Amino acid sequence: MSEKTALTPATHTTPPAKFSHGVRKGNILQVAGQVGFLPAVEGQPPTPAGPTLREQTLQTFANVKAILEEGGATWDDVMMMRVYLTDTDHFAEMNALYNQYFEEQDLKAPPAARTTVYVGLPKGLLIEIDALAVLDR
């Protein structure tokens, strides 16, 4: 039986509660909900990438990708993504950003995904994404 390994890339701060940014066990990797914080700076609180959905979405993708890579995965290993928006008016813009980003990733097959509205994110944050990856190795 394989051990469970917590994943925290150098770009991420230590989580504020008792959880991991990502966890890998065997060939399963779960990425916890990520938001659009810029890479961590020692001694400074997390800072959003900017006030716009575009800035935060692109940084959120980068944060998810950093955890995937820390766990030995790529976007092609992602089976399911869950996207949480704070405003229903952001669906169309997020879908356009999502489509453009993943076209640039040249995926073999896109993951399953769902988007929902969630109003519990900290003030100023517009999007959160989590992902489940299954690796061949």
Side-chain angles (χ1 to χ4, degrees):
M1 183 173 240
S2 61
E3 290 188 32
K4 182 169 70 171
T5 304
L7 306 169
T8 300
T11 54
H12 287 55
T13 59
T14 301
K18 195 76 174 154
F19 67 87
S20 300
H21 287 290
V23 176
R24 179 168 177 183
K25 184 169 182 174
N27 68 334
I28 306 285
L29 191 160
Q30 176 66 56
V31 176
Q34 299 297 300
V35 294
F37 287 142
L38 293 169
V41 176
E42 185 76 30
Q44 293 184 9
T47 304
T52 69
L53 182 65
R54 177 179 183 73
E55 292 165 312
Q56 290 188 26
T57 299
L58 295 177
Q59 185 61 52
T60 301
F61 286 144
N63 293 342
V64 171
K65 184 177 180 182
I67 296 165
L68 291 170
E69 290 174 348
E70 184 79 8
T74 69
W75 284 117
D76 274 316
D77 296 310
V78 174
M79 301 295 293
M80 177 68 178
M81 288 184 31
R82 285 171 290 275
V83 179
Y84 305 92
L85 297 173
T86 59
D87 188 333
T88 56
D89 290 340
H90 290 160
F91 270 89
E93 182 181 359
M94 191 285 301
N95 283 338
L97 291 165
Y98 183 98
N99 288 340
Q100 180 183 359
Y101 180 85
F102 285 107
E103 281 177 21
E104 293 169 3
Q105 302 307 305
D106 196 30
L107 298 180
K108 295 177 187 123
R114 78 175 305 269
T115 302
T116 191
V117 174
Y118 174 69
V119 294
L121 292 178
K123 185 176 173 64
L125 294 177
L126 305 174
I127 187 168
E128 179 177 326
I129 298 174
D130 67 52
L132 175 67
V134 178
L135 293 77
D136 292 331
R137 53 220 171 274

